[in-house]
Amino acid sequence: MATRSVTVDQSTQRSVLATWTGLLNGDDGAPFEGGDWGDRTVQITGTFGVGGSISLEGSNDGTNYVVLTDPQGNAITKTAAGIEAVIELPRYIRPRVTAGDGSTSLTCTLYMVRR
């Protein structure tokens, strides 16, 4: 279990891409502070392995995290590759791998656009 660093690409002033790679079973991502970025879409790719699952979490205090939701009100927890819009606008966002096996290795990319 490790906290994986986030890579941030801000190639334009209107958008940013935060990426966490090599997320293994039990890992979380270093929190990204992105209050300036109102519109958000998360994409999950990689090898889920047996029972692999990853959630996108948010926090306003950097300590207490909860799973974020998509526009339909569903928790953003994936067991297969996918892409979702993110409704909430917390101060901090991170991915957390909640299950998997020795082959689980995921990438989480969070694309954000300034409102």
Side-chain angles (χ1 to χ4, degrees):
M1 295 188 285
T3 297
R4 304 293 174 181
S5 61
V6 60
T7 302
V8 179
D9 175 10
Q10 186 175 353
S11 54
T12 73
Q13 295 209 358
R14 285 197 34 84
S15 66
V16 66
L17 183 68
T19 304
W20 297 265
T21 60
L23 293 160
L24 309 177
N25 185 17
D27 287 352
D28 60 18
F32 175 79
E33 188 171 358
D36 289 343
W37 310 100
D39 294 322
R40 302 160 187 230
T41 301
V42 65
Q43 183 173 12
I44 309 296
T45 59
T47 302
F48 282 80
V50 176
S53 180
I54 185 171
S55 295
L56 188 67
E57 299 178 331
S59 172
N60 285 333
D61 62 14
T63 300
N64 301 294
Y65 283 84
V66 297
V67 178
L68 301 176
T69 60
D70 66 17
Q72 293 75 39
N74 302 310
I76 300 177
T77 298
K78 296 292 181 188
T79 57
I83 190 167
E84 292 283 351
V86 181
I87 291 299
E88 296 85 6
L89 187 61
R91 182 175 179 186
Y92 303 101
I93 293 181
R94 72 175 186 190
R96 187 168 61 91
V97 181
T98 58
D101 63 12
S103 68
T104 302
S105 182
L106 301 171
T107 296
C108 175
T109 55
L110 183 64
Y111 179 70
M112 295 158 282
V113 176
R114 194 179 309 269
R115 286 187 183 194

